[in-house]
Amino acid sequence: MYSTLCDYLVENMEMKKEGKDSRWFDVKLVPNDYIFPQIYRPENLDSPLSLSIPVIDLQNTPIQEIFKASQDFGFFQVMNHGVSKKAMDDAMSAIEEFFNIHEGSGSVRKNWIYTKSIDYAKDGVHLWRENLKHPCYPLEKCIPRWPNKPSTYQEVIAAYIVEIRKLSLRIFEMICKGLGLDPEYLNDMSEVQILAANFYPPCPDPSLTLGSLPHRDPSLITILNQAGATGLQVMKDGEWVNVGAIPNSLVVNIGCQLEIISNGKLKSVEHRVVTNMHEARRTLVTHVNPSPDSIIEPASVLVSESEPPRFKAFRYRDFVERNRAFGDYTNVLQNGAGSES
């Protein structure tokens, strides 16, 4: 572990002198500052991919399937979801090119954050990933402040966000009908608020490190494009389950805010990302969150004398700030849409 930031910078400068074309993950052994304490290290990396996480065809508006998956698992994959293959492929290509271009130090801008190799996770240990985050709402104000390299980034990511928004409204409508709420109950309070892109390089020993720590999302729902790459694990019945990656599918998971609004009827579950030795994993994560000033509380029609509220009301902005919901750069991401670049 480095005693000071200077020690870290000096060692990295020396590494770059030795191999100017190498990147931080071009190593034969996992560096000490990427090795997690035993309690956090992943297990069952070689277990079969789970067939239990529901795969749902949205073509026929499967309200009960969506509702049951949200109750029992908190996770499901969707097919025939309406997000075009072109939009998915173009967005993933732009992300791949972004990570290839930005091989220098990470960047913290007024409206986007890029971290690599100094991405601390727990007790100063680094995550085995590179990460880009930026706000997406209001979209027209955010687009000009996104990365401008590669040159296609702003255009293709904006097109992708528009399609993800349409999908989120379809999913919300089905969830609301399953809960017995007005089908548009979540529409006005929800925003495709944050995009996170991740690059998990091949790792020489995946048993020692993690791509992301176990966590629950502070969203209403999160929509994940994992481009056919495995690595996602979900906690199910006290065990980490390896989730498969079906081509052209999207993974949806229930966030903490929707668990609260449902008064605990829907489940937000822990999940994490593990690495592998042979293939890189690139993902696009869109967090569909409540608008900052939304009051989050159990929906009144779901509360009764026999079903009292299980959660106290709060303002979403306060929740984000109190819990540092977007990590070390919460203020940048929370307020970025209104900032000048």
Side-chain angles (χ1 to χ4, degrees), residues 160-322:
Y160 180 75
I161 294 298
V162 168
E163 295 200 28
I164 288 292
R165 175 57 175 165
K166 292 177 183 177
L167 172 60
S168 73
L169 294 177
R170 288 182 63 197
I171 292 172
F172 283 148
E173 180 180 350
M174 287 184 275
I175 286 175
C176 286
K177 286 181 177 179
L179 285 168
L181 302 175
D182 183 291
E184 298 184 356
Y185 184 88
L186 296 170
N187 288 11
D188 291 340
M189 73 160 61
S190 66
E191 305 168 355
V192 183
Q193 198 175 88
I194 302 289
L195 178 138
N198 299 292
F199 169 47
Y200 306 98
C203 175
D205 189 346
S207 69
L208 298 177
T209 189
L210 283 168
S212 74
L213 281 171
H215 64 284
R216 293 179 174 89
D217 290 346
S219 57
L220 289 164
I221 60 172
T222 299
I223 301 176
L224 165 67
N225 177 357
Q226 53 183 356
T230 58
L232 175 64
Q233 291 189 332
V234 174
M235 179 62 73
K236 176 65 176 168
D237 299 328
E239 295 186 358
W240 288 107
V241 174
N242 293 314
V243 178
I246 301 171
N248 303 320
S249 70
L250 293 167
V251 177
V252 180
N253 67 278
I254 302 300
C256 298
Q257 311 311 312
L258 192 47
E259 180 174 345
I260 293 166
I261 291 169
S262 73
N263 202 29
K265 289 179 169 59
L266 307 184
K267 183 188 299 184
S268 174
V269 300
E270 278 195 316
H271 51 286
R272 68 182 184 185
V273 174
V274 297
T275 61
N276 73 76
M277 294 179 64
H278 306 294
E279 294 181 341
R281 171 181 166 87
R282 295 176 184 85
T283 62
L284 269 173
V285 186
T286 40
H287 295 285
V288 187
N289 297 339
S291 54
D293 291 320
S294 296
I295 301 301
I296 306 301
E297 60 186 337
S300 59
V301 300
L302 302 179
V303 174
S304 65
E305 188 172 333
S306 60
E307 292 281 348
R310 298 175 58 183
F311 307 93
K312 293 182 179 179
F314 57 85
R315 190 172 65 149
Y316 183 64
R317 182 190 300 276
D318 297 335
F319 170 89
V320 169
E321 293 173 354
R322 182 172 61 251

Side-chain angles (χ1 to χ4, degrees), residues 38 60 125 136 144 149 151 155 175 186 204 251 272 299 309 329 338:
Q38 188 69 46
N60 299 313
V125 179
C136 298
K149 294 181 181 180
S151 60
E155 178 183 354
I175 286 175
L186 296 170
V251 177
R272 68 182 184 185
Y329 303 106

